[in-house]
Every structure is written in C-alpha cells, then in structure tokens.
Amino acid sequence: MVDTIKVYPSKPAKVYFYGTCLVDMFYPDAGIAGVELLEREGIEVLFPQNQTCCGQPAYTSGYHDEARSVARAQLDLFPGDWPIVVPSGSCGGMMRKHYPDLFKDTTEEVKAAEVAGRVWELTDFLLNVCHIKLEDLGEPTTVAMHTSCSARREMGVAEVGPKLLGQLKNVNLVEQIRPEECCGFGGTFAVRHPEISGAMVSEKVDTLVDTGAKEFVTTDCGCLMNIAGYAEKNEKPVSGQHILSFLWARTQGKGGQQS
Amino acid sequence: MSETAEHTGHHIDVKEFHPRAQAAIHNPKIRKNFRSAMDGLMSKRKTAFEGWDLETLRDLGANIRMRALANLPDLLEQLEAKLTENGVKVHWAVDGDEACRIVRDICKARDARTVIKGKSMVSEEMELNHYLQEQGIEALESDLGEYIVQLADETPSHIIMPAIHKNTGEISQLLHDKTGTDLSNDVEYLTASARLQLREKFMNADVGVSGVNFAVAETGTLCLVENEGNGRMTTTVPPCHIAVTGIEKVVPTMEDVTGLLALLTRSATGQHITTYFNMISGPRKTEELDGPEEVHLVLVDNGRSTIYQDDELLDTLRCIRCGACMNHCPVYTRVGGHAYGTTYPGPIGKILMPHLIGLDEGRHLPTASSLCGACGEVCPVKIPIPDLLVRLRQESVDGDKLHPAKVRGHGAKRSSMEAMIWKGWAWMHASPGIYRLGTGVASKFRALQPSKAGAWTDYRTAPKLAAKTLHQRMKERGQ
C-alpha cells in the first residue's frame, strides 16, 4: 500500500499546484497558505485554471467510467515535467496510486502513469523536497494532529506532519489515543452509513478533546469538515484547521489562527 | 429428507445490514465488548511483532500464498494423491450442501449418532451443525467460544474468537441456564466446568470434525492450529476424523507452513506460537495404540474456483483466516460481527462473502467501509482489501464499461437515479468552464446555502462555502 521506496526529486524551480475541489470551494485559505509556503521557498507556483476534481468520489463509489472521464480532464493540465503538489493525502493518493489502475488498458495508460509519478502530498514535498525550515513566530500553544488514512497509508506521510510541527518551538504537539484510527469520513461512506460514521467521528473528537488541546490540525479537508463539523454541532471544545493554514499562520506571526 | 430439500440453518437476511448495525451502535454493551477486545488484540499483535522485520515477513507470507495459488490445481492433485497414499480418504464438494451430504454419508456409514467438532469456519459456511441436527445426528462444538455460541444458539461474531461479543457475566449466565453451573465471574471455574462437560462428549463421540489451517501437498499433512487441545482431542479420540477445508488452504511444502504460522499466530492473537500445533498425516497405523481408524478430508469449493479465475479477485484466496483485519477495522469495532449477517464478518467477509452468496444478496457489504486501509496494512499476506472493496463496488453498480462486471449478482445496486447523478457530476467536472461557473455562482450566493445536508448534518454542521473559490483567488493573484 505505502510506497516502501520513495525517490524524492531535487528541489524544482516550479511546481504545478493541484488545489482539490474541497479546498477550492470550502477551504481556499488552506490552498493559499500552501502556495505562500511554496513561494517563500523560492518555488514558482503554476495553477492550471482548468483543474476541477481528481475523480475520487466517483471512483470509490464504483462509477469508474465517470471517474475516468473526470480524471482524463486533469491529465492534460501538467504539460511541463514539474512536480504536481496536492494539499491532500486523499486526492494525492487517488492521483498517485489509482490513476494508473483507472487508465489501465486505455490510450492514456502511459500518460496517467507519468502524471501519477509526479504527484506529491504537499507537506511531504515541503519537508523532504524543499527541506523547509520553519521559524515559529506564534504564542505558545498546544495542538493535536489527525493524519488522514490516505496520507498515512497511501502516501506514507504519517511522520511528516509531526516533524513539521516539531520545528515550531512554541507549539506543543500532543497525541490522542488511537491516532491511526479513521475519523469516519470516507467520502460517500459518511452519508451511506451515517450511524457508523457518526460513531467513529464522535470517538475521534472525544480522543482529541481528551488531549487537552483546543485545536487540531490535519492533512485533509475531508477529515477536517468531518471532525470539526462534529465538534461544532455537538459543542465540543476543539476546533480544527488544515495543517498548511496553521504552518503559514505560525510563521507569519499571526498566532496560529486561520487567516 | 430429499437430496434437494436443503437444510435451512440460520436464516439471517444479509440485506438487513443497516438496522442491525444501527442497533449495535446504540447498544453500549456491544460497543464496550468489541472496543475493549479489539484494543487488546491490536496491542497484543503489535507487541508480538516487536523485533521482527514485519514488512519482509508480510512479503514472505504474500509470496508463499501467491505461489501456492499459482499452482493450485496441481497442488490439489498432489495433495489428494499423497493423502490417499497415507490412507486418508479425500472428497470433493462443489458447495456447502454437497459437503454436508458427504459428512452425513460418512456418519451414516458408521452409524454415528454423535459428532464432536473442533473449530472450523468452513463448517460454519456449510451450516453443518444445523444440517446434522436435521439428520438426527448430534453435533457438539468443543472450542470454548464455539461451545458458548452454540449454547446461545448464535453464530460466531469473530472468526478466531467466536464469542467475543459476550462478556464474562453473560457467559456465566448462559452456562448457568443451559448447563446448571454456578453463576461466577471466575473464568477458570467457568472454563473448568465447560471442560468437564466436554471431556465426556469427547470420549463418547462417534466422529470428530475439524477444520484445517494448512494442507501440505508434498507430505499430505493436515495442519491444525489451536490453543485449547480440543482440536487434538477431536482429531484423535473418536474412531473417525473428518477434516473439512476450503480448496485454497493447500501449500506446497512444510517449509511454507513455518512462515505462514509465524504470521498467523502473531496476527491473530499476538501469540508467538499456539499451545497446540497438530500435524495429521493419516489414520492409526497397525502398530499404533491410538488415533482414529478412519480419516477423511472434504475439500470444499463453494465459489472459490470462480474467484480463482479472476486475476485481481484471486488475491481474496490468499487469506489465512487470522482475523487481524477485523481486529483493526473501525467499522467492525463499532458494529460487531453479527451486524454483517454473514459467516465471515469484517473486511475479509466484505470481500469474500459476495462471491459465496452473490453480490445481489451482499450488495451492502462493500460499501460498509471508509476505505481507511487499516485492514490492508495489517494483513499478513498483503491482500489489497481496500482495492478489492472498490472493485466490488464497481461490480455492484456495473460501473466500468472497460472492465465489465462478472461477480454473480453484479449490478444489483445500480439505480438509474444514482447513475444519472454521477453522470451529471462527471459532466460538470469534466468541463472546466462549467465547473468554474458553477462553483463561482455557489460561492457568490453562499448565504443561501442550506444548513441541512442530508445525513451529513445529523451529526455535523455543514461545511461552509468560502466567499471566493481558490480558482478565483489564484486568478486575482495572476496565477
């Protein structure tokens, strides 16, 4: 499942930024934060305006013809050989791991594999390709982190978030129990099996609250809207943001609040 | 009873997954029993693999199983020849019903009235106990968990720990009600009482029925992994032993067993080795003082040879039935084993059962997963369970023209309404101009966004549309 051998490219002059549909519509601040972090590392960010969605919702629902037609529309967005960075383990996993399967036995097979090979989860890229050094300008705070299942298991970046947060001298990272357990999002799973998903997210929120942290960060907007949405509705004392928003705000002296 | 009027067994409607899952979720006892048991099993497994290069070992396990499956037809023939040479009678059953009839016929030929059983999931698949009961043959489970489940007239809720859904208090009450033991929370007392009752049954049973963990083709050896000694009693005390197993359990050599055994016990219960490891190579020889006079092996297909014909689905047959996937499954942990209504619950059940009962009957099984991947991560033989779930989802809606569905009952979940929604969704997301227009308009009129969004907002607030999309903001930045 996880790439056991990952060969990182050397730091490029440019990258393609694939924003994902959830970031596009609901969490554009997280996308902008990612862009700012990349630009501060001296990387030019190319944002193909024709990007839409990676196709994953249809893919995991079994509608592979539809997933393929949406994914096909993304394949032409990256004509140069620059890396493609994605602020999500889930969409990143779809493109890196599942595009080759989805286009197997089609005329786009080679192209899909080529695109897939250039896809990187953005925090992984910042840490292991840019070798980013973060200077914490924020007030002392305590946070917990939820790494999405796809970031952890498909993109193999479980260690990345904690390492980045570890660079922030005023940030105390605490770990909830069962950090590796799914929050219950799972895309259409959350609406197909609402009670099971609800039971999963309620336990996830309880474990986060138990850490004493008032906020958590995560690699994926799906988990974010699930966990933070549950906490908000049920008035639990924990709020969340995308890890990129947090990292950018901390290193801009804005105290870890969402810009 | 005629040959065609098949036995009924436990009739649980697989399609009723939702109400059962919901009931389990609102049952604090079920939630607590499973959560604490699964936490314990996960932690034991983790400890058991400390100091091992687990990834290399899993690669080894996967390769042993893949190699065995690649040569399955030849290995089965070799196994049959070797077992026959050893004096074991080999039978082939195309499905569970035929397997039941074979067991019955062996029993009838010996005029057997009582059968003692070691733990066997294939016999659960066959619903053998109910069948034998209908035939006037008493079948008693001797594995403690199975014994408890049988007393309660239930089915196993876990493939390794069949009675994991019950706590000590419930078990004590059950034993008291059914067998007259004293009420007690002393596990040793309860176990000793069950042992006492079973011991007598072992001595008087006409036939012993067991499962098989590994069947070694080269030597004709049936390996049985167990902790209670009931497996050894079942296979050695009664004058006749019938082993039942799926056709996929064969491996080429004894050396293959060592790697798989190391993975099996650690993955299942976190043990370095089980208390008993039985190697059965034939009936009692003339100079031997004990052991059964007759040994039979029933090789059960029951849909496996159909799975075998598909290069991707084939991986399902690698399974060595350790149960680690269910121990680590966040869905199984919440709903427990009975909610699935299938012989095999949890992730392995979700990818195996649709082949056994048809994807029409089991249409809800592949969807009951967040695709978190925990199952695939712990699987000792690296079955890509999440990928197979996606494949079965595709099959259940006939969703891929390039790779037409082939599993029995495929397409049963397809609804024209849902298909139309996905078509519309795909059209919008494959047309960048339309997408930008649509998302832009949604952002502009975000004040009109409803606060309710179906089942999502039963538990959570709705995500809030941003004032401007990332596309718009990047455009403003000149990107």
Side-chain angles (χ1 to χ4, degrees), chain B residues 33-301:
Chain B
N33 289 354
F34 278 94
R35 177 87 263 179
S36 58
M38 298 307 116
D39 278 351
L41 287 163
M42 285 194 285
S43 138
K44 278 187 187 165
R45 173 188 175 272
K46 207 170 173 183
T47 310
F49 279 118
E50 267 167 22
W52 286 73
D53 180 354
L54 181 54
E55 282 315 297
T56 305
L57 194 56
R58 288 174 70 230
D59 279 334
L60 174 72
N63 283 311
I64 292 172
R65 290 299 298 139
M66 284 193 283
R67 191 170 62 120
L69 289 171
N71 300 310
L72 186 61
D74 292 344
L75 289 175
L76 284 167
E77 283 184 12
Q78 190 188 358
L79 177 73
E80 181 181 31
K82 200 69 202 175
L83 282 169
T84 309
E85 193 185 311
N86 294 351
V88 177
K89 178 100 178 46
V90 179
H91 312 259
W92 301 83
V94 72
D95 58 17
D97 290 323
E98 190 180 3
C100 280
R101 289 197 295 271
I102 292 168
V103 173
R104 177 200 61 188
D105 291 347
I106 298 167
C107 290
K108 295 263 155 145
R110 298 187 59 90
D111 202 19
R113 310 306 303 163
T114 58
V115 166
I116 191 98
K117 281 188 67 210
K119 195 173 155 15
S120 152
M121 285 309 295
V122 171
S123 75
E124 297 289 342
E125 212 178 301
M126 295 156 57
E127 300 181 356
L128 179 63
N129 292 359
H130 282 258
Y131 180 84
L132 290 178
Q133 203 177 355
E134 284 169 12
Q135 301 289 320
I137 299 168
E138 184 202 32
L140 185 77
E141 295 287 351
S142 66
D143 171 272
L144 188 54
E146 292 280 354
Y147 175 69
I148 291 164
V149 165
Q150 190 181 28
L151 283 180
D153 196 25
E154 292 177 339
T155 54
S157 60
H158 188 287
I159 63 169
I160 300 295
M161 281 140 293
I164 199 86
H165 56 288
K166 291 194 183 302
N167 60 32
T168 312
E170 292 167 284
I171 292 166
S172 166
Q173 186 69 51
L174 177 73
L175 291 175
H176 173 74
D177 294 346
K178 300 279 179 171
T179 69
T181 55
D182 295 338
L183 286 173
S184 167
N185 276 327
D186 180 355
V187 176
E188 271 188 40
Y189 166 76
L190 295 173
T191 311
S193 320
R195 185 173 183 268
L196 207 61
Q197 292 171 23
L198 287 168
R199 186 53 61 112
E200 192 195 317
K201 300 284 185 182
F202 278 121
M203 305 316 274
N204 298 325
D206 299 315
V207 170
V209 171
S210 78
V212 174
N213 291 94
F214 313 107
V216 183
E218 188 184 54
T219 53
T221 309
L222 307 176
C223 303
L224 191 58
V225 181
E226 49 130 358
N227 276 313
E228 298 171 16
N230 68 308
R232 182 156 303 171
M233 297 282 282
T234 300
T235 57
T236 54
V237 177
C240 172
H241 168 214
I242 307 171
V244 293
T245 192
I247 55 169
E248 81 283 14
K249 288 284 175 66
V250 63
V251 292
T253 67
M254 200 52 89
E255 202 183 335
D256 294 314
V257 172
T258 56
L260 294 178
L261 183 63
L263 280 161
L264 173 62
T265 61
R266 286 171 179 82
S267 300
T269 49
Q271 290 174 286
H272 292 289
I273 186 72
T274 45
T275 317
Y276 291 85
F277 179 72
N278 306 285
M279 290 181 278
I280 299 150
S281 51
R284 178 199 304 195
K285 296 189 179 70
T286 40
E287 71 276 12
E288 288 173 345
L289 297 174
D290 54 13
E293 299 155 9
E294 261 181 56
V295 177
H296 300 262
L297 174 68
V298 185
L299 287 161
V300 186
D301 183 331

Side-chain angles (χ1 to χ4, degrees), chain B residues 386-406:
Chain B
D387 292 345
L388 292 170
L389 287 169
V390 171
R391 163 73 187 271
L392 290 170
R393 288 181 184 188
Q394 181 261 101
E395 295 255 347
S396 66
V397 296
D398 278 343
D400 195 343
K401 288 193 191 73
L402 280 182
H403 305 100
K406 52 169 100 158

Side-chain angles (χ1 to χ4, degrees), chain A residues 54-190:
Chain A
C54 64
Q56 191 195 50
Y59 182 72
T60 54
S61 298
Y63 287 86
H64 291 192
D65 293 324
E66 284 73 15
R68 204 177 287 117
S69 79
V70 170
R72 187 177 289 121
Q74 317 306 309
L75 290 180
D76 289 329
L77 303 174
F78 319 106
D81 61 356
W82 308 113
I84 302 156
V85 295
V86 188
S88 157
S90 175
C91 315
M94 176 67 196
M95 298 171 83
R96 190 173 177 102
K97 180 171 180 254
H98 301 294
Y99 271 15
D101 292 338
L102 189 59
F103 288 98
K104 210 173 146 217
D105 307 326
T106 71
T107 49
E108 293 99 344
E109 185 170 357
V110 174
K111 183 167 208 174
E114 191 276 320
V115 165
R118 282 192 280 147
V119 171
W120 298 94
E121 191 275 333
L122 184 45
T123 58
D124 191 19
F125 188 84
L126 288 170
L127 182 72
N128 292 312
V129 178
C130 300
H131 305 291
I132 195 168
K133 293 282 172 280
L134 297 164
E135 192 192 342
D136 192 6
L137 304 172
E139 293 299 312
T141 188
T142 297
V143 293
M145 165 144 202
H146 172 72
T147 302
S148 76
C149 299
S150 42
R152 178 184 299 277
R153 303 195 178 99
E154 288 192 344
M155 298 302 274
V157 303
E159 308 300 320
V160 170
K163 277 187 187 161
L164 288 169
L165 295 169
Q167 291 187 14
L168 302 172
K169 64 180 191 304
N170 283 334
V171 172
N172 174 33
L173 175 65
V174 287
E175 190 173 73
Q176 66 278 25
I177 59 164
R178 295 188 285 269
E180 69 292 331
E181 191 172 86
C182 177
C183 72
F185 176 61
T188 51
F189 169 76

Side-chain angles (χ1 to χ4, degrees), chain A residues 24-25 29 39 49-52 60 64-65 68 153 178 181 192-193 197 203 226 229 232-233, chain B residues 31 39 334 367 372 377 393 399-401 429 435-436 457 460-461 466 470-471 473 477 479:
Chain A
D24 191 28
M25 294 174 68
D29 287 338
E39 287 180 346
Q49 277 283 334
N50 279 348
Q51 59 181 280
T52 59
T60 54
H64 291 192
D65 293 324
R68 204 177 287 117
R153 303 195 178 99
R178 295 188 285 269
E181 191 172 86
R192 279 189 207 278
H193 297 280
S197 173
E203 282 183 46
N226 184 39
E232 187 180 48
K233 178 157 177 123
Chain B
R31 292 285 293 276
D39 278 351
R334 301 312 188 297
T367 67
C372 77
E377 187 179 49
R393 288 181 184 188
D400 195 343
K401 288 193 191 73
H429 288 84
Y435 171 86
R436 281 196 302 272
T457 45
R460 317 155 189 86
T461 53
L470 183 65
H471 277 80
R473 289 178 63 177
R477 289 167 58 108
Q479 281 160 308

